[in-house]
Amino acid sequence: MLYLASDHAGYRLKEIAKQFLDFLETEYTDLGTDNDETPVDYPDYAKKLVKKMNGKKDRGILFCGTGSGMCIMANRYKGIRAVVGNNEHEVLLGRSHNDVNVLCLGGRLTGENAAKKMIKIFLDTPFSGEARHKRRIKKLDLK
Ligand code: RB5
């Protein structure tokens, strides 16, 4: 399953992403927030999303003002590999080399078209599966 969550600052970009996912006929679950007027705390929504991500195939997209706060919080959880989507290349290599499973986007920084392109790459790019990438990923989860 693909999960989405945002704070108030990421809400608008999340709505745009939902329209785009509908267009792509990609199923998702929206975990909130549901408006941009009531301030909420990004760690609460990042936590809500990562707690839903059980399966290896689960993915998430988090939206806050910059993408950074969500990314910091998400990466505190074992098995989560989140990146801030700054550009398409970063997302492509993040998927291919790091098997990134959470994409974080900044509602106050990322343009609509750039967000759509990065979402498409995030969804479509497979993990390389190469031994050196697997070995490095194994070292990410601290005991
Ligand atoms: C909320 O104003 C803002 O600080 C938050 O969305 C985010 O950008 C934090 O990283």
Side-chain angles (χ1 to χ4, degrees):
M1 175 50 71
L2 173 65
Y3 296 100
L4 309 183
S6 75
D7 69 357
H8 55 291
Y11 171 76
R12 205 187 67 85
L13 193 58
K14 175 163 65 71
E15 291 306 296
I16 288 161
K18 281 162 61 180
Q19 285 174 16
F20 183 55
L21 292 167
D22 289 341
F23 167 75
L24 295 176
E25 298 183 350
T26 299
E27 213 185 320
Y28 58 82
T29 300
D30 181 0
L31 302 169
T33 190
D34 61 5
N35 70 83
D36 61 2
E37 281 158 19
T38 312
V40 292
D41 297 339
Y42 63 81
D44 297 336
Y45 283 86
K47 180 177 178 182
K48 206 171 174 183
L49 183 138
V50 299
K51 290 286 182 191
K52 287 270 181 191
M53 290 186 48
N54 292 321
K56 275 203 160 192
K57 289 196 172 159
D58 286 344
R59 300 263 183 99
I61 310 179
L62 288 167
F63 306 83
C64 61
T66 59
S68 304
M70 288 291 197
C71 192
I72 293 166
M73 183 64 176
N75 277 320
R76 286 170 188 240
Y77 290 83
K78 192 167 186 246
I80 297 298
R81 293 175 299 280
V83 287
V84 177
N86 292 308
N87 60 63
E88 292 168 46
H89 203 60
E90 191 170 20
V91 179
L92 182 85
L93 291 177
R95 278 293 311 134
S96 172
H97 290 198
N98 313 113
D99 200 11
V100 158
N101 51 12
V102 175
L103 175 64
C104 304
L105 296 173
R108 291 175 179 156
L109 300 179
T110 313
E112 283 183 26
N113 287 337
K116 288 178 189 173
K117 283 180 188 163
M118 288 190 277
I119 288 170
K120 184 93 175 78
I121 290 167
F122 176 62
L123 297 176
D124 290 351
T125 308
F127 174 51
S128 74
E130 287 180 29
R132 70 182 194 283
H133 294 149
K134 283 186 175 167
R135 183 182 71 241
R136 290 162 189 163
I137 287 168
K138 262 192 173 175
K139 293 184 180 182
L140 293 173
D141 285 325
L142 306 175
K143 293 276 183 280

